[in-house]
Amino acid sequence: WTDQTVAGLNDMYYYAYGFGYRTAFVNANLIDPNGACSAERPPANDMLPNGQTLAKQIEAIVKYYNVSQVDVVGHSKVGIDAQSATVWFGAWRYVRNIITVGTPYQGSILADLLWSPEGEQLGDLLGQRDAGTFSLRTPLMQLFRLITDSSRLDDSVAYYTGAGNFWDTPDSIFQVLGAWIQAQPEG
């Protein structure tokens, strides 16, 4: 929730607060297994440890605000982590809606690249070869989809998702990666 080099001021908290929403911001990757917070960005986890952590956080948020359910808004892999929390760790009891932005539900060809022999150096350079990106490879996400989507535990949770396709930000990593993705053959 800080200013970003490419995107500028992140004012989402002020919008939410201004419209009267009570908010809680969580980041499963900044919490170690013992529950301590860290200012350093550790390697990202896959959707199971993050789902378990998120389920505990959702339960604590529900109790703190003295409500029966919350809406979860997540960007990118957090949408998958939220589904994991609801299906595999019981958070379905506390979640009314999951709203996701840019969630790679079918996997990510960028993650495929980072974990390929050709992309290993790029992944190391970006610091993105961790359990989080490993879990987003398309074959693993196909398996996750097969197992998770067949569950009926989250039938009471409404899912909403959206994404964009603007990647051509001058002089940014988005421009380099977006151009590479656009050049890949379909299939």
Side-chain angles (χ1 to χ4, degrees):
W1 298 105
T2 60
D3 289 352
Q4 302 298 310
T5 305
V6 176
L9 176 65
N10 185 339
D11 53 3
M12 295 311 296
Y13 169 76
Y14 302 106
Y15 274 112
Y17 183 81
F19 281 100
Y21 292 98
R22 296 179 286 179
T23 59
F25 298 91
V26 299
N27 184 337
N29 288 328
L30 296 180
I31 298 176
D32 72 26
N34 298 319
C37 291
S38 168
E40 296 180 24
R41 185 188 179 276
N45 286 316
D46 68 39
M47 64 285 285
L48 294 178
N50 282 4
Q52 185 175 30
T53 299
L54 184 57
K56 290 176 185 176
Q57 293 171 338
I58 290 169
E59 185 174 4
I61 291 164
V62 164
K63 288 179 183 176
Y64 177 83
Y65 283 116
N66 194 29
V67 296
S68 61
Q69 290 187 309
V70 296
D71 296 328
V72 176
V73 179
H75 172 254
S76 193
K77 186 177 155 299
V78 176
I80 297 163
D81 296 340
Q83 186 180 22
S84 179
T86 58
V87 171
W88 301 114
F89 300 101
W92 60 268
R93 296 178 198 91
Y94 308 113
V95 176
R96 182 178 63 171
N97 299 305
I98 294 178
I99 304 159
T100 64
V101 179
T103 295
Y105 284 108
Q106 302 302 318
S108 165
I109 61 172
L110 182 54
D112 292 343
L113 168 68
L114 296 176
W115 283 95
S116 72
E118 299 81 16
E120 184 175 355
Q121 286 183 322
L122 176 62
D124 290 340
L125 177 68
L126 295 174
Q128 295 295 313
R129 283 177 56 94
D130 54 31
T133 57
F134 187 85
S135 70
L136 290 177
R137 294 177 312 129
T138 52
L140 290 179
M141 283 307 302
Q142 288 174 358
L143 178 61
F144 181 78
R145 296 269 57 90
L146 179 71
I147 296 168
T148 305
D149 291 347
S150 64
S151 173
R152 310 250 347 165
L153 291 174
D154 64 342
D155 283 358
S156 64
V157 178
Y159 285 83
Y160 302 92
T161 192
N165 62 0
F166 180 74
W167 55 267
D168 199 13
T169 304
D171 302 319
S172 73
I173 191 67
F174 301 121
Q175 188 176 38
V176 173
L177 296 175
W180 181 85
I181 290 170
Q182 293 293 319
Q184 298 308 300
E186 290 192 31

